[in-house]
Amino acid sequence: MTTDAEELRRLYVDEQKSIPQVATVLGLPRSTVRGRLKAAGIKLRARGDGVRLRRDILGKHAKGTTRAFDEEWRQNISAGRRRWAEEHAAGHRVTSKGYIEITRGPNKGRLIHDVLMEARIGRRLLPGEVVHFADDDRQNNHPDNHQLMTRADLARLHRLQEMESGKIRKRDRYGRFT
């Protein structure tokens, strides 16, 4: 059964039916209708154009509509999210490296051991300073377990501990530990 190009043009262009609707009318698979439209030189609509044309079928809130929110609406959405967070958010998470990160409040995104050390020393950590865990447990945030060190001192300490334990680390041709 061959489909006349004029019939395709009438259904798809003039009546603005979608490919699935044309396929239903003609009793053909969608892929066949699409191929015949292209073969007939009929330009296919973009998906967004098709959705906008068929808003009556898809509904008023379907894709293709732009929603505008006034300031009160945005504030209500924000307030609802804050209420949900108050009820459900833990306020912390364990990072992939095993440290505890703060996920809410003024210190959001910071590691808890850094915040605790800053409170203890009364200032922010300097760029070269780090907090070392004396017992090597990254989740033990007791103040006695924290030691303030420079990055160089921490690296030196870890190399010394490795040498004492008999662990031998080799460097690659660029000087990096492997």
Side-chain angles (χ1 to χ4, degrees):
M1 168 183 190
T2 60
T3 306
D4 185 38
E6 286 306 312
E7 186 177 11
L8 283 172
R9 186 175 308 283
R10 180 182 58 80
L11 292 170
Y12 188 73
V13 177
D14 299 340
E15 294 182 19
Q16 295 186 336
K17 291 190 181 293
S18 65
I19 290 176
Q21 290 171 326
V22 173
T24 303
V25 169
L26 299 176
L28 296 171
R30 294 177 187 177
S31 58
T32 303
V33 170
R34 187 174 189 280
R36 289 184 184 175
L37 285 169
K38 289 176 88 173
I42 299 171
K43 188 173 187 273
L44 299 180
R45 291 188 285 267
R47 187 178 191 291
D49 294 335
V51 169
R52 278 186 282 281
L53 278 174
R54 305 314 301 172
R55 229 181 247 163
D56 57 330
I57 294 172
L58 298 172
K60 154 175 149 179
H61 295 292
K63 288 183 181 179
T65 60
T66 304
R67 295 177 65 185
F69 297 107
D70 62 0
E71 187 58 33
E72 181 185 1
W73 189 274
R74 282 195 288 272
Q75 288 175 354
N76 287 340
I77 291 171
S78 295
R81 287 182 176 166
R82 280 194 299 276
R83 278 193 305 275
W84 185 92
E86 291 293 330
E87 295 172 14
H88 298 94
H92 65 277
R93 73 176 188 100
V94 178
T95 66
S96 60
K97 295 192 178 198
Y99 297 105
I100 298 176
E101 178 184 33
I102 299 169
T103 59
R104 298 188 63 219
N107 291 309
K108 180 179 179 178
R110 300 190 64 215
L111 300 174
I112 195 163
H113 59 271
D114 290 342
V115 174
L116 293 172
M117 181 58 76
E118 289 172 354
R120 188 169 158 196
I121 62 176
R123 64 173 172 82
R124 295 288 298 244
L125 293 179
L126 298 175
E129 292 178 328
V130 293
V131 178
H132 171 63
F133 292 88
D135 66 356
D136 291 329
D137 180 5
R138 294 175 177 176
Q139 293 184 17
N140 180 0
N141 284 300
H142 192 275
D144 295 338
N145 190 39
H146 293 166
Q147 297 173 344
L148 184 62
M149 305 178 105
T150 64
R151 288 187 195 283
D153 289 339
L154 183 62
R156 195 174 297 115
L157 173 67
H158 283 276
R159 297 303 80 74
L160 182 65
Q161 289 173 342
E162 288 171 359
M163 287 172 35
E164 288 175 354
S165 68
K167 182 177 179 183
I168 299 172
R169 293 183 65 184
K170 298 191 186 247
R171 293 183 184 265
D172 64 9
R173 64 183 179 156
Y174 302 108
R176 297 177 300 211
F177 285 112
T178 55

